[in-house]
Amino acid sequence: MSVLPPEVHSALGLLLQGLQSPENNTRAHAEEQLNNEWIVARADVLLMGLVEQIKGAQEAGPRSFAAVLFRRIATKTRKVFDTDESKDLFITLQHAQQEAIRQKLLEALQNESLPHVRHKIGDAVAEVARQYCDQGQIWQELLQALFNLSMSQDAGQRELAFRIFATTPAIIEKQHEDNVKPAFTKGFQDGNIEVRTAAMEAFSSFFASLQKKSQKRYYALVPELLNVLPPLKQAGDTEGLTKALIALIELAEEAPIMFKPLFHNLVQFSIAVIQDKDLGDTVRQSALELMGTFADYSPAMCKKDSSFASDMVTQCLSLMTDVGVDDDDASEWNNTDDLEAEESNMNHVAGEQCMDRLANKLGGQTVLPSTFNWLPQMMISNSWRDRHAALMAISAISEGCRELMEGELDQVLDLVIPALRHPHPRVRWAGCNALGQMSTDFAGTMQEKYHQVVLTNIIPVLNSPEPRIQSHAAAALVNFCEEAEKATLEPYLDQLLGHLMRLLESPKRYVQEQALSTIATIADSAETAFGKYYGTLMPLLFGVLREEQSKEYRLLRAKAMECATLIALAVGKERMGQDAIDLVQLLGSIQEKITDADDPQSSYLLHCWGRMCRVLGSGFIPYLSGVMPPLLELAGAKADIQLLDDEEQINNVQQEEGWELVPLKGKVIGIKTSTLEDKHMAIELIVIYAQQLEAAFAPYVLGIMEKVSLPGLAFFFHDPVRIASAKSVPMLLNAYKRANGERSPAMARLWETTIDKVLEVLSAEPAIDTLAEMYQCFYESVEVLGKDCLTSTHMQAFVESARSTLEDYQIRVRKRGEEQQEIEDGEDESNETAIAIEDDQTLLSDMNKAFHTIFKNQETSFLPAWARLLPFYDAFVSSSDSTQRQWALCILDDVLEFCGDQSWSYQNHIQQPLVAGMRDPVPANRQAACYGVGIAAQKGGAAWSTFTSESLHALFAACQLPNAREDDHVFATENACASIAKIMLSPHCRVPNAQEVIGPWIGTLPIENDEEAAPYAYTYLAKLIDESNPAVLAIADKVFLAIVAAIEAETLQGQTAQRVVNAAKRVVQLARLDMNQLKSSPRPETQQTIRVHFL
C-alpha cells in the first residue's frame, strides 16, 4: 500500500519519463526539475516515491531506473539542519522516514524476481547500508534479511545476499565468526556456480575489511574457497573463473601466507589455467596475475615452492611468443604510425610484465637459471617469435637480476647483438629494446666497458629500411647516451650525428621527432665536445622553428625547441654568440602564436625558457616579462575536481585523458591530474628562475609567494605540487634577500608571513614523505634568513609540531612492531612496510637537519623550547632501533656544539648516551657519539673536562676494533681519533699522564676520509712537532707517513695543509729521517705526493 497520494506518483512518473527521454531538452528540463523541486524541496517524498516505484511498478524498466536513481539521490551530500556538518542525503532524513523507506526497500529486494532488476535494488540497499556503517550504526533488519536470503531456495536470492556483502562488508565485519563462517562455507559449497563465485567475492571483500589479528580466524576457510575453482575450469566458465581468480588476487594481497598449506596445489592449478588456450586470454592473464601477486607479496613462499619459478618463467616466455598474430611478416606492424597502440591487454605484454615482477621480487638466484634454461635455444630458433620473446625477457629481467647478470654481460651481449642483424624487423626491434634497457639497468658498466660493442653495432641499425626500427634504435641510444661520460661518446660523435641527421630527412614524422630527442640527449652528455657540430645542426633547427607548419607538425617543432635549447646548454653562451638572443626571440615569437590549449609546444616552451635562463644568466632578465605570465597562470591553477554521481558521468570522464578517479564513501571524485601536473612543472621552473637570477627575480617574489608557493604547501590534491612549493620557498626568500637585504623591513614582512605558513604545514601535512620535504623547506628557509631569525613563538611552534610528529612516529613504530609479531614463519615483510620504514628514516633525518639549523642560528635561545622534547631523547637513546639512537645522538651533539657551557645543564641526558654510543655496534651511531665527546671538549667548557678525559679509553677502543678501517666503520674511527686530539688540545684538559696518550694516539692515524675531522687531528700533531715532543720523535717515520697519507687523500686543504706539510718537514729534520727510504713506498701515488710536497 502506498503512503504517498496518487498525484505525487503521477508527478514522479512524469519526472522519471523526462529523465529517460532521448530528447536532450526534455531530459535537461527534467534534471532541473529533479534538483529544484524534489531534491531541495522534498527529498523524503522523492526517496519514498522512488522506493514505491521500485516495489510497485509493473514494468521492469521503471523499477530498474527507479533503483538506480534512488541510489544516486541517496548518496548526494547535504547539510544537516542547524549545523555546518554535511552528510549523505538518506542519513539526514528523520528516523521515521528512514525506517519506512528501509522497510519498503527490503520488501522490494525480497520480492523482485528479475535478476538484473534485483541487482540494481541490491546496489541501492548496499548504499543505504554503507551510510549506516559510516555512522557506526547497524541496520539490523538488513542483516537478518541477508542471512535469510543466503539460505533461500532461490539461487538468485542467495547470490544477491553475497553481492551485497561484497559491496558493503562492514555489515557483517562485527558479527561473531561463529555466524559468519557457516554462511561463507555454505556459499562456497552451494550447488549453484554463480552463488559460489559471489561468495568468493564477498569473502574477499569481507576479509580485507578485518584487522590483521581477526583475519587469522578465517584461514581455515581456504580449502573450501579453493574448491570453488576446479568446477569453474571444467565447465569452461571463463567469466566465473575470472571473478574467482580476482577474488583470490585480493586475498593474496591481504594475507598470502593463509594459502601456504595449499600453495603448491594453487600454483599447479594456475599454471594449468595459463596453459589452457581454450579458456581465453582474460582468464589466463588473471591466473598469471594471481601468481605475480604472490611473488609481490610473499616472495619467500614462492621461492620455497619446488616448481613455482621454473613453471612461471616457462609460462611467461610462452605467453611472450604470442605476438604478431595474423601479421607474420610484420607488414601491418611496420606500416602503422601509431607507436603507442594499446597493447596492455595482450598476452605478450602480460608475460613481459610478469617476468619483470618475478625478477624484481624473487631475484636473480631464483629467476636466472630457469630463464637461461630457455633463452639460448630460443635465440637460435627458426621462429622469429621465440627470438623476440627471448630478447624481451632479457629486457624484463635485467633490473631485478642486475647483480648476477652484470658479471655475465659478455655472454648476454653475445645473445643480443646478433639480433640487430636478424632479417625479421620485430627481432631487430626487440634487440634494440634489450640494449636500451640494459644501458639503463647496467648504467655505468655498459657505457664504460661495452661502449664499442654497443655503439658499433647499433649505429648501423639507424640505416634500417623500416622506420620503426630506425626510431627504436635512436630511442635505445637515448638510454645509452644519457648515462655516458663525455669522453666515452666523443670518438663516436661523427658517426652518431651523421646517421641521426639523415633521419631528420625521414618521411616519417615520428622518426624525425625521435632523432631530435636523441641528438638532444647526446648534446646534454657530450657538453662542450658538441661544439664541433653546432654550426651544422643549429641552422637546421632554426629552419624548423621558423617554418610555419600545420597542426600535425607541432610536436616536431616542440622537439626541435627542446633539442636547440639542450644544445645551447651544452655549448654555452660564448659559443652561441648572437644565436642565443636569436633563439630566445624565436621562442618568444612561437609562444605568441600559440592559441590552442592542447598545443604540445606550450609545455615544451616552459622547459626551453628554463634552459635559456641557465644559458644566459642575467642576460635572460629582459625576457622575463614575456616568459612569466603563462608560467604564473599554470602555477596558480586551481584543482579541477568533480563529484561524479552516476555511471554515465564516470564513463564520460574515464574516456578523457588526464583524469584520476578516487572512490570516496560510495561516491567517485574526479581529479583532473593533467592540470595538476602542469602546475607542478610550472612551480619547478619558478625554482630554476629564482635560483639562477636571484635578486633580478625579486619583483615576482611577493606575488608568487602569496598566490602560488605558500598556498601550494597545503595543496592536498597533489603531493608533487606541495613538494615543488616547498622547494620554491627558500629560493624565493633568497632572491628577495639578495635584492632587499637580510634585515630590511620588506624582508622582515615577507619572512613573517612565510615562517608562519611553513610552521603551520609542519602540523598539517598528512603524508610522511612529503612531511620530510616540509621540514627541509623549514631549515633551508631558516638558513637563508640566518642568525636569530626565529622568535620564541616560532621556536615554541616548531617544537610543538616536532612533538606531534614524534608522537605519530612512535605510534607507527609500535604498530609495525605489533604487525611484525603477527608475521608467521616464512611470511615476508610487506613492500608497504619497507617503504614506510624508509620514509620514517628520511623524516627523522630531515628533522635532525632542522634542529641542527635552529641550534646553529639561535644557539642557547632555543634551549627552553627544545627541553620540552627531552622525554623523546631519553626514550630514543636507549631504543633497540639504531635509527632512533642516531637521531637522538646527533641532536645532543648540536646542543654541545652550539650551546657552550650551558649544555652542562643537560649533562644527565647527554653523558650516558655518549658513553653507550661509543660502544654502539652501528658505525654511524659510534661516529656521532665520538664526535659528541670531542665537541664537548672543544666547546662545552670546563664542566665537561672530567667527562671527556675519562672518555679517552672508550675512544681508543673505538679506534682499535677489528673492522675499524673498513669502509662502513672508518668515519667512526677517524672521528674518535679527532676527538682524542680535541680533548688533548682543550685548555680545560685534565688528562693525567698526558704524555702517555700521545704515542697510542699517533697509532690511530692517518685520517684519509673525513675532511672535517682531519684538520683537528693534524693541527694537534703539528703542535706536538713544533714542541719537539719526544713521543712524536720516537716514531717520526710513522708520523711523516701519516701526514703524507692525509695530503695524498686531500683531507687537508689550504693553510692547514701547508702548516702540516711544514711540520712534516720539521720532523724529518729533527729525527734525521732518510728521505730516500721514506719515498721508497710501493705506491706510485705516495711517491708522487712526497716528490711534490716534500722534495
Side-chain angles (χ1 to χ4, degrees):
M1 177 179 173
S2 174
V3 299
L4 298 177
E7 59 269 22
V8 171
H9 273 298
S10 297
L12 187 58
L14 291 173
L15 176 68
L16 296 180
Q17 288 178 19
L19 290 171
Q20 298 175 84
S21 171
E23 296 293 329
N24 290 337
N25 291 337
T26 304
R27 200 167 58 252
H29 176 72
E31 284 283 355
E32 184 179 349
Q33 191 180 14
L34 172 68
N35 289 319
N36 297 332
E37 298 179 18
W38 292 89
I39 296 176
V40 173
R42 43 181 180 168
D44 54 337
V45 175
L46 172 63
L47 289 177
M48 178 57 79
L50 287 172
V51 83
E52 289 193 344
Q53 287 281 331
I54 296 169
K55 183 182 176 187
Q58 296 299 312
E59 299 295 327
R63 296 201 304 274
S64 177
F65 182 71
V68 171
L69 189 59
F70 179 95
R71 181 174 179 273
R72 173 184 157 193
I73 303 303
T75 61
K76 284 189 175 291
T77 302
R78 75 173 182 178
K79 285 192 175 180
V80 180
F81 181 70
D82 275 351
T83 73
D84 291 330
E85 185 182 6
S86 293
K87 290 185 178 181
D88 293 309
L89 192 150
F90 181 85
I91 210 74
T92 65
L93 299 179
Q94 294 180 12
H95 290 298
Q97 294 169 341
Q98 292 180 28
E99 186 176 351
I101 293 171
R102 289 197 320 255
Q103 181 181 346
K104 286 183 177 291
L105 198 57
L106 284 182
E107 289 172 1
L109 181 73
Q110 292 165 328
N111 295 332
E112 180 58 57
S113 59
L114 295 179
H116 73 280
V117 179
R118 192 160 52 205
H119 288 168
K120 292 290 191 298
I121 301 172
D123 292 340
V125 169
E127 173 52 35
V128 172
R130 194 267 311 163
Q131 294 186 26
Y132 281 112
C133 291
D134 288 350
Q135 299 296 315
Q137 301 174 30
I138 297 176
W139 183 0
Q140 196 64 49
E141 301 90 344
L142 171 65
L143 197 59
Q144 187 58 52
L146 291 179
F147 275 111
N148 290 341
L149 285 174
S150 70
M151 305 294 177
S152 168
Q153 295 298 311
D154 183 342
Q157 289 192 338
R158 298 199 300 275
E159 181 199 5
L160 178 63
F162 286 115
R163 277 176 56 90
I164 295 174
F165 286 144
T167 306
T168 315
I171 299 170
I172 52 171
E173 68 179 24
K174 293 191 172 98
Q175 296 302 304
H176 195 275
E177 62 188 278
D178 290 344
N179 296 324
V180 175
K181 278 183 179 179
F184 279 120
T185 301
K186 194 170 187 301
F188 299 150
Q189 297 173 346
D190 197 283
N192 183 279
I193 202 164
E194 292 180 352
V195 176
R196 296 200 297 272
T197 306
M200 285 189 74
E201 293 177 305
F203 179 73
S204 171
S205 181
F206 165 70
F207 189 85
S209 73
L210 299 174
Q211 297 290 327
K212 288 287 183 185
K213 289 181 180 178
S214 300
Q215 287 179 345
K216 289 187 174 183
R217 300 171 190 162
Y218 296 90
Y219 283 12
L221 293 180
V222 168
E224 295 293 346
L225 181 78
L226 295 183
N227 283 339
V228 176
L229 298 174
L232 290 168
K233 180 177 182 294
Q234 290 163 10
D237 183 356
T238 56
E239 182 180 353
L241 184 53
T242 300
K243 288 180 180 179
L245 289 169
I246 290 172
L248 290 180
I249 290 167
E250 293 167 355
L251 289 168
E253 290 173 350
E254 282 290 326
I257 200 69
M258 71 189 288
F259 294 95
K260 185 178 179 181
L262 295 170
F263 183 61
H264 185 71
N265 300 38
L266 182 55
V267 171
Q268 294 304 303
F269 177 82
S270 299
I271 295 297
V273 172
I274 299 168
Q275 287 176 320
D276 192 341
K277 295 181 180 181
D278 292 336
L279 288 173
D281 293 347
T282 301
V283 70
R284 294 172 69 202
Q285 289 180 26
S286 297
L288 186 76
E289 175 62 27
L290 175 60
M291 293 295 98
T293 302
F294 277 111
D296 287 340
Y297 289 88
S298 188
M301 190 165 72
C302 295
K303 284 190 264 191
K304 289 177 182 176
D305 185 83
S306 58
S307 64
F308 181 90
S310 60
D311 285 350
M312 279 298 292
V313 166
T314 300
Q315 293 312 310
C316 285
L317 290 172
S318 176
L319 288 171
M320 289 164 67
T321 63
D322 191 4
V323 60
V325 179
D326 302 326
D327 188 29
D328 195 62
D329 62 355
S331 56
E332 181 182 336
W333 174 85
N334 192 48
N335 289 328
T336 181
D337 287 355
D338 183 9
L339 304 190
E340 297 180 2
E342 180 59 45
E343 290 190 329
S344 61
N345 61 344
M346 301 260 185
N347 282 340
H348 68 94
V349 175
E352 291 163 20
Q353 292 173 346
C354 193
M355 282 290 285
D356 175 70
R357 292 162 71 182
L358 294 176
N360 276 294
K361 296 301 179 181
L362 306 187
Q365 294 279 8
T366 301
V367 171
L368 274 182
S370 299
T371 305
F372 276 86
N373 186 44
W374 288 103
L375 292 196
Q377 54 187 304
M378 293 176 74
M379 284 304 302
I380 59 173
S381 168
N382 291 327
S383 167
W384 71 262
R385 291 181 177 86
D386 287 350
R387 297 193 186 213
H388 182 278
L391 291 163
M392 295 307 291
I394 290 172
S395 300
I397 68 172
S398 59
E399 180 187 8
C401 301
R402 176 188 170 96
E403 289 185 13
L404 288 181
M405 284 180 68
E406 195 157 24
E408 306 295 332
L409 283 180
D410 290 288
Q411 292 89 327
V412 177
L413 286 169
D414 284 344
L415 290 175
V416 173
I417 293 297
L420 300 177
R421 298 183 290 275
H422 193 273
H424 199 283
R426 296 201 71 163
V427 174
R428 276 178 280 134
W429 186 95
C432 293
N433 196 79
L435 283 182
Q437 191 62 51
M438 289 168 67
S439 295
T440 298
D441 294 335
F442 305 109
T445 304
M446 282 284 283
Q447 286 77 4
E448 291 166 18
K449 292 181 64 176
Y450 299 101
H451 55 85
Q452 184 174 11
V453 174
V454 173
L455 292 177
T456 57
N457 281 284
I458 201 168
I459 289 173
V461 184
L462 295 170
N463 289 334
S464 294
E466 303 90 354
R468 289 196 71 168
I469 309 301
Q470 295 172 346
S471 175
H472 208 52
L477 282 168
V478 169
N479 292 37
F480 185 89
C481 294
E482 66 186 357
E483 301 291 347
E485 297 293 331
K486 169 185 170 183
T488 300
L489 287 182
E490 203 162 352
Y492 303 97
L493 288 178
D494 283 347
Q495 293 181 67
L496 280 167
L497 293 168
H499 283 77
L500 289 167
M501 287 173 67
R502 282 194 287 277
L503 292 187
L504 293 177
E505 301 169 5
S506 168
K508 294 290 188 181
R509 194 168 63 252
Y510 68 80
V511 175
Q512 296 175 331
E513 291 165 1
Q514 182 58 63
L516 285 171
S517 293
T518 307
I519 291 170
T521 302
I522 292 170
D524 195 34
S525 296
E527 298 174 340
T528 53
F530 200 86
K532 173 182 174 183
Y533 310 93
Y534 178 85
T536 305
L537 268 168
M538 196 58 92
L540 288 174
L541 296 172
F542 269 77
V544 173
L545 295 177
R546 286 184 174 126
E547 280 184 28
E548 290 294 332
Q549 294 174 330
S550 55
K551 188 172 182 177
E552 63 266 23
Y553 285 92
R554 287 172 175 175
L555 182 58
L556 179 67
R557 188 151 65 165
K559 295 278 187 180
M561 286 190 281
E562 176 185 56
C563 187
T565 51
L566 280 167
I567 290 173
L569 265 182
V571 302
K573 180 170 61 175
E574 289 72 24
R575 176 66 181 85
M576 289 192 76
Q578 180 60 33
D579 281 353
I581 304 302
D582 292 345
L583 179 56
V584 169
Q585 292 174 346
L586 186 51
L587 294 176
S589 174
I590 293 169
Q591 180 169 287
E592 289 174 358
K593 295 175 183 176
I594 293 175
T595 56
D596 295 343
D598 63 347
D599 192 331
Q601 294 176 110
S602 297
S603 59
Y604 276 80
L605 259 173
L606 293 174
H607 289 288
C608 291
W609 288 128
R611 293 186 198 106
M612 293 312 296
C613 177
R614 290 161 63 189
V615 171
L616 292 174
S618 59
F620 189 75
I621 294 169
Y623 306 101
L624 273 179
S625 59
V627 170
M628 290 304 294
L631 185 67
L632 293 175
E633 184 178 351
L634 283 179
K638 306 296 183 185
D640 187 350
I641 298 172
Q642 296 183 20
L643 177 62
L644 308 176
D645 284 329
D646 55 41
E647 293 181 9
E648 183 179 353
Q649 288 179 310
I650 293 170
N651 291 334
N652 290 339
V653 169
Q654 282 179 326
Q655 290 172 12
E656 294 184 38
E657 289 187 9
W659 283 85
E660 179 182 352
L661 301 184
V662 180
L664 181 66
K665 291 187 176 181
K667 303 178 181 65
V668 175
I669 307 294
I671 303 174
K672 193 167 186 180
T673 53
S674 57
T675 302
L676 306 185
E677 287 158 5
D678 289 344
K679 181 182 180 75
H680 168 234
M681 174 190 66
I683 299 171
E684 285 191 321
L685 288 167
I686 285 170
V687 173
I688 291 174
Y689 292 134
Q691 188 177 34
Q692 294 292 321
L693 301 176
E694 293 192 318
F697 196 68
Y700 299 95
V701 167
L702 293 180
I704 293 172
M705 199 72 96
E706 178 188 353
K707 297 176 182 177
V708 177
S709 295
L710 294 183
L713 295 176
F715 194 83
F716 295 112
F717 304 105
H718 198 55
D719 291 358
V721 167
R722 299 206 300 287
I723 292 170
S725 299
K727 292 187 182 304
S728 72
V729 168
M731 291 300 173
L732 293 169
L733 288 171
N734 182 63
Y736 206 69
K737 182 180 81 169
R738 298 285 184 187
N740 294 279
E742 187 174 306
R743 301 300 176 191
S744 67
M747 188 72 226
R749 287 192 296 271
L750 176 60
W751 175 239
E752 183 178 356
T753 305
T754 303
I755 188 60
D756 286 346
K757 184 63 178 178
V758 172
L759 287 169
E760 180 186 318
V761 298
L762 292 183
S763 298
E765 175 55 55
I768 306 305
D769 54 343
T770 309
L771 181 58
E773 298 283 351
M774 297 303 165
Y775 273 98
Q776 183 176 343
C777 170
F778 170 81
Y779 71 72
E780 288 182 353
S781 299
V782 172
E783 284 282 20
V784 171
L785 271 291
K787 284 285 184 185
D788 299 319
C789 65
L790 298 174
T791 65
S792 61
T793 302
H794 294 150
M795 289 185 279
Q796 292 289 352
F798 172 82
V799 164
E800 180 58 30
S801 295
R803 183 193 61 75
S804 175
T805 300
L806 292 171
E807 286 177 349
D808 291 344
Y809 165 74
Q810 288 179 320
I811 291 170
R812 291 194 298 275
V813 170
R814 186 162 56 249
K815 185 177 178 182
R816 285 198 293 266
E818 291 170 357
E819 290 175 354
Q820 188 66 32
Q821 291 177 357
E822 295 293 320
I823 290 178
E824 298 184 13
D825 182 43
E827 190 175 359
D828 301 272
E829 180 181 83
S830 69
N831 290 340
E832 290 81 2
T833 299
I835 292 169
I837 291 171
E838 186 177 341
D839 286 345
D840 273 332
Q841 289 174 341
T842 302
L843 174 61
L844 289 182
S845 174
D846 281 307
M847 289 183 74
N848 246 337
K849 292 170 186 173
F851 279 101
H852 173 82
T853 303
I854 299 176
F855 273 121
K856 175 183 170 185
N857 288 285
Q858 300 295 142
E859 298 178 340
T860 56
S861 67
F862 184 46
L863 284 173
W866 171 81
R868 292 168 53 199
L869 299 176
L870 280 171
F872 291 102
Y873 299 106
D874 293 341
F876 282 18
V877 292
S878 57
S879 170
S880 60
D881 184 344
S882 63
T883 301
Q884 294 185 23
R885 299 198 302 274
Q886 182 184 8
W887 185 82
L889 285 167
C890 287
I891 297 178
L892 296 179
D893 287 353
D894 290 329
V895 174
L896 291 165
E897 182 168 1
F898 298 111
C899 298
D901 55 9
Q902 288 194 36
S903 62
W904 181 252
S905 302
Y906 304 95
Q907 51 95 11
N908 289 333
H909 300 276
I910 297 175
Q911 285 189 7
Q912 187 52 40
L914 292 183
V915 171
M918 287 186 285
R919 299 191 299 266
D920 199 303
V922 177
N925 296 352
R926 206 161 60 247
Q927 177 183 344
C930 292
Y931 175 82
V933 173
I935 282 294
Q938 184 184 10
K939 298 188 176 183
W944 284 99
S945 58
T946 300
F947 171 76
T948 56
S949 298
E950 291 174 352
S951 297
L952 283 174
H953 179 75
L955 291 170
F956 275 113
C959 294
Q960 293 160 0
L961 292 171
N963 53 3
R965 290 288 169 181
E966 292 179 4
D967 288 347
D968 290 341
H969 296 264
V970 70
F971 279 88
T973 303
E974 291 182 350
N975 270 268
C977 167
S979 289
I980 295 170
K982 291 174 184 177
I983 293 169
M984 302 301 287
L985 281 168
S986 170
H988 310 293
C989 176
R990 294 184 182 177
V991 178
N993 304 317
Q995 187 63 30
E996 296 177 9
V997 173
I998 295 171
W1001 173 74
I1002 292 171
T1004 67
L1005 294 168
I1007 294 181
E1008 300 175 282
N1009 298 276
D1010 196 322
E1011 296 175 8
E1012 293 183 12
Y1016 296 107
Y1018 284 94
T1019 295
Y1020 178 51
L1021 183 60
K1023 177 177 180 291
L1024 295 174
I1025 294 171
D1026 291 343
E1027 295 169 351
S1028 300
N1029 190 288
V1032 172
L1033 297 181
I1035 48 174
D1037 55 340
K1038 292 182 180 179
V1039 170
F1040 178 80
L1041 292 175
I1043 292 172
V1044 170
I1047 297 296
E1048 182 183 326
E1050 298 182 346
T1051 52
L1052 297 173
Q1053 301 284 336
Q1055 294 181 351
T1056 303
Q1058 190 55 54
R1059 181 190 171 191
V1060 174
V1061 165
N1062 293 336
K1065 292 176 180 177
R1066 178 173 167 77
V1067 83
V1068 169
Q1069 293 172 348
L1070 290 172
R1072 298 181 180 180
L1073 298 177
D1074 182 351
M1075 284 301 295
N1076 288 324
Q1077 185 176 354
L1078 291 172
K1079 70 179 183 181
S1080 63
S1081 167
R1083 296 183 72 253
E1085 296 87 351
T1086 302
Q1087 294 175 15
Q1088 177 66 11
T1089 301
I1090 293 172
R1091 279 195 297 272
V1092 169
H1093 292 280
F1094 300 101
L1095 295 179

